[in-house]
Amino acid sequence: MTTVLDVQDVTKVYGTGDTAVHALRGVRLTVDQGDYVAIMGASGSGKSTLMNILGCLDVPSGGRYLLDGLDVGALDDRRLAVLRNRRIGFVFQSFNLIPRMSALANVELPLAYGGVKAAERRRRALAALAQVGLADRVGHEPNELSGGQQQRVAVARALVTSPALLLADEPTGNLDTRSTEDVLGVLDRLSADGRTIVLITHEDDVAARAKRVIRLVDGRIVEDRRAAPVAGPPPGPMGTGVRHR
Amino acid sequence: MTLEVLRFALRGLAANKLRSGLTTLGILIGVGAVIMLVAVGNGSSQQVQKNIERLGTNTLTVMPSTSGGRGGGGGGGFARLLRAAGGAAQQTGPRAQAKSLTVDDARALADAKSAPSVKSVSPVVTASSANATYEGTAHAIQQFVGTYPAYFEASNDPVARGTYFSDDDVLNDRKVVVIGNTVAEDLFGTVDPLGRQITVSGVNFTVVGVLKTKGSSGFQDADDVAIAPLPAVQQSLTGYGALNQIVVQAKSPKTVDAAQSEVTGILNQRHDITGSNTADFQILNQASLQSAISSSSRTFTVLLGAVAAISLLVGGIGITNIMLVTVTERTREIGIRKAIGAPKGAILGQFLVEATVLSLLGGLLGVAAGVIGSQFTVVGVQPVIVPSSIALALGVSVAIGLFFGSYPANRAAKLRPIEALRHE
Ligand SMILES: Nc1ncnc2c1ncn2[C@@H]1O[C@H](COP(=O)(O)OP(=O)(O)OP(=O)(O)O)[C@@H](O)[C@H]1O
Ligand SMILES: [Mg+2]
């Protein structure tokens, strides 16, 4: 079993002196390939902070973080960019779509930076948008989409490169039951394909779809519960398990 | 990938059309102004140069000194048009008994032994506002010149039709005349003046030639002139007194200065000028006038260029400002792009291309504006484009775009994704 994520005593302090905020106070965590991890915790417990570090978007104040055995802190800018582009799909809590660009163009963007040809790019972007149920909204710009639709575009953008590691910060936070089911179905399928998934959620029924649930309180891991074996399929809706395709 | 970056840049520009347009306009004006103003400066200096050249080449004009003026150079052959041009007395000090210029002086200057650099010498008398009539039509000729045939070459006065008068005409005191274009038109209209007679002060002159048009020099009509053999004019108009001037032509541009010192030496001797007293003649040297004027017109061009360069710089600052605003405004977008794997180079490239396209577009439009603007006459000056000013202005505008665009772009590209994303 290969370890994909290896977080060693990571701390994160925002600000200095009296106003310093200790968002992470020594997090130790390893995630194996193919695992499906849900991170839970109260608001402000440091979930997003941890996620940003996992996604190589931010650097820890202390400790080390290894991705695929590589110390991320030692990588230069260019290799970090390749890593973010090829290995990681990131869904932001606040969508982070580029304004004045159509849903299709937004989803195509990671492929463009990955050097994929235009026709191939378009085909894959359309497929990813269809997967999240937005085939009829490809030409709309972010400000013409509802919150839930924007979130699903963000999910499509994260999975369009077929990344081995999918990091999602509350991907269902703004979605109704049906859309939540669509997105979770996509994640289940990716997990069944053997991809590694880490997601943040406040909802128990979303966490119930993961193989492992981690609970954060004040920047520390207080609970790490395995619900299903790493090697097996994800528990699926109501813990019924998802069939392999 | 490069193509993608280019597309992103163009899309970024298109998203903010008004802003892009105004920035382009700033550069356009800067580049256009450089090309246009340099062209105007160049055009006016060429015009002045041409004005001087058509007064004659390699010439020195010797005139009686009416006052004990200060030293310095002057213009030659210039006298006919610019009588007031400041001349130069050779020395300062008390004036000896002033002697006027005579035909004998001219003859002495033509001596090949003592003045080897001199090619020809033409004694000149001029009568202003000489009334000429032809079959009832009257015209006051501004300058009626009496001289020798060498004058035509020295003062750069070729004939358009007919011929010059000859040495023979001078020796035989023949009443022939070569007239300027204005005189020809005023007196003869459409009639061919060659061979016809005009009456000046009761004396009949036969027209043998019409001078080529010189145009107005700004002071007076250079074509309102008539040139006749010296004795004929002396007899009928000016009398046999002093000469108004002696036009000396040097053998080559290089020998003008040598000729000037030879002429000075000979005349000093003949007029008894010694170290302590002021010369009673002055010599206008066309070459030195030309260089004085061309250096002052160069200063003029440089000054215009500097003003234009400042406007170009202001345009450049405009680009920097816009790029700063653009980058700040789009920091979040930069964060998103970096988060999904855009390398630093792609971000940098995108903004650099945006800046370069703005400045290049502005530059090219500016070149077009400058070139078109230079087709029109500006305050009486026909601008002449200096090709290097186009290359320079365009190069500078692109360099400005690259240089000033790279600063904010570099700053943005260096941000960590999360820093950029948190930017509001
Ligand atoms: N850029 C920042 N500067 C200062 N403090 C920050 C910054 N980002 C986060 N924090 C603080 O760090 C702590 C953890 O924030 P984080 O965003 O990780 O919480 P979270 O668990 O994701 O909360 P939520 O569930 O509301 O998204 C909070 O107290 C927050 O105020
Ligand atoms: Mg959060």
Side-chain angles (χ1 to χ4, degrees), chain B residues 33-34 37-38 41 298-312:
Chain B
V34 167
L37 291 185
V38 169
R298 215 172 9 251
T299 313
F300 177 59
T301 307
V302 167
L303 217 71
L304 284 179
V307 169
I310 289 171
S311 77
L312 190 57

Side-chain angles (χ1 to χ4, degrees), chain B residues 103-114:
Chain B
V103 178
D104 285 338
D105 284 336
R107 236 170 247 134
L109 294 178
D111 179 25
K113 232 181 264 150
S114 51

Side-chain angles (χ1 to χ4, degrees), chain B residues 103 123-125 146 205 229-243:
Chain B
V103 178
V124 175
V125 292
F205 283 89
L230 180 69
V233 176
Q234 284 178 319
Q235 183 192 341
S236 57
L237 286 160
T238 63
Y240 291 91
L243 296 175

Side-chain angles (χ1 to χ4, degrees), chain A residues 147-224:
Chain A
Q149 287 169 334
Q150 289 183 50
Q151 184 127 44
R152 283 188 278 160
V153 174
V155 172
R157 185 179 64 189
L159 53 84
V160 74
T161 53
S162 315
L165 176 62
L166 188 75
L167 305 172
D169 195 344
E170 299 195 35
T172 59
N174 294 284
L175 301 185
D176 60 15
T177 336
R178 225 185 81 75
S179 308
T180 299
E181 197 50 51
D182 284 347
V183 169
L184 290 180
V186 170
L187 295 185
D188 279 346
R189 274 205 302 283
L190 291 172
S191 178
D193 283 353
R195 298 190 200 284
T196 312
I197 300 174
V198 180
L199 67 74
I200 293 174
T201 184
H202 284 293
E203 297 155 72
D204 287 327
D205 49 342
V206 174
R209 308 280 286 258
K211 296 173 186 173
R212 180 184 176 190
V213 179
I214 286 170
R215 199 169 291 277
L216 272 184
V217 173
D218 281 345
R220 283 199 189 85
I221 295 178
V222 295
E223 188 193 339
D224 190 345

Side-chain angles (χ1 to χ4, degrees), chain A residues 4-243:
Chain A
V4 179
L5 305 178
D6 187 358
V7 180
Q8 303 174 348
D9 284 320
V10 160
T11 59
K12 180 72 185 181
V13 184
Y14 291 113
T16 50
D18 287 349
T19 57
V21 176
H22 292 265
L24 295 178
R25 301 165 186 265
V27 171
R28 200 181 282 243
L29 172 72
T30 56
V31 176
D32 290 333
Q33 189 182 344
D35 211 348
Y36 185 170
V37 183
I39 298 177
M40 299 189 76
S43 179
S45 55
K47 304 183 296 293
S48 294
T49 303
L50 177 60
M51 198 61 127
N52 290 337
I53 291 172
L54 294 182
C56 303
L57 304 179
D58 207 352
V59 289
S61 311
R64 289 211 307 163
Y65 165 47
L66 309 181
L67 180 69
D68 291 327
L70 280 175
D71 188 346
V72 170
L75 295 180
D76 64 13
D77 195 89
R78 197 174 49 82
R79 289 172 64 193
L80 270 177
V82 173
L83 199 68
R84 289 185 201 117
N85 187 248
R86 303 270 160 83
R87 296 277 299 141
I88 304 170
F90 202 104
V91 183
F92 294 92
Q93 188 169 5
S94 48
F95 325 140
N96 279 336
L97 298 176
I98 295 182
R100 291 191 295 273
M101 259 172 82
S102 69
L104 183 65
N106 262 290
V107 175
E108 278 188 16
L109 206 56
L111 296 174
Y113 285 121
V116 179
K117 291 239 160 51
E120 168 74 356
R121 209 158 64 203
R122 196 180 161 77
R123 193 184 63 70
R124 280 167 70 174
L126 286 171
L129 282 165
Q131 241 182 329
V132 295
L134 280 179
D136 55 340
R137 290 281 187 281
V138 293
H140 289 58
E141 295 182 0
N143 59 356
E144 298 163 348
L145 294 170
S146 74
Q149 287 169 334
Q150 289 183 50
Q151 184 127 44
R152 283 188 278 160
V153 174
V155 172
R157 185 179 64 189
L159 53 84
V160 74
T161 53
S162 315
L165 176 62
L166 188 75
L167 305 172
D169 195 344
E170 299 195 35
T172 59
N174 294 284
L175 301 185
D176 60 15
T177 336
R178 225 185 81 75
S179 308
T180 299
E181 197 50 51
D182 284 347
V183 169
L184 290 180
V186 170
L187 295 185
D188 279 346
R189 274 205 302 283
L190 291 172
S191 178
D193 283 353
R195 298 190 200 284
T196 312
I197 300 174
V198 180
L199 67 74
I200 293 174
T201 184
H202 284 293
E203 297 155 72
D204 287 327
D205 49 342
V206 174
R209 308 280 286 258
K211 296 173 186 173
R212 180 184 176 190
V213 179
I214 286 170
R215 199 169 291 277
L216 272 184
V217 173
D218 281 345
R220 283 199 189 85
I221 295 178
V222 295
E223 188 193 339
D224 190 345
R225 182 173 55 83
R226 179 157 297 285
V230 177
M238 288 69 144
T240 55
V242 177
R243 267 165 281 117

Side-chain angles (χ1 to χ4, degrees), chain A residues 112-116 121, chain B residues 1-10 343 345-346 349-350 353:
Chain A
Y113 285 121
V116 179
R121 209 158 64 203
Chain B
M1 183 73 160
T2 331
L3 209 75
E4 290 308 317
V5 169
L6 206 80
R7 248 185 29 172
F8 292 146
L10 294 182
Q350 177 180 341
V353 169

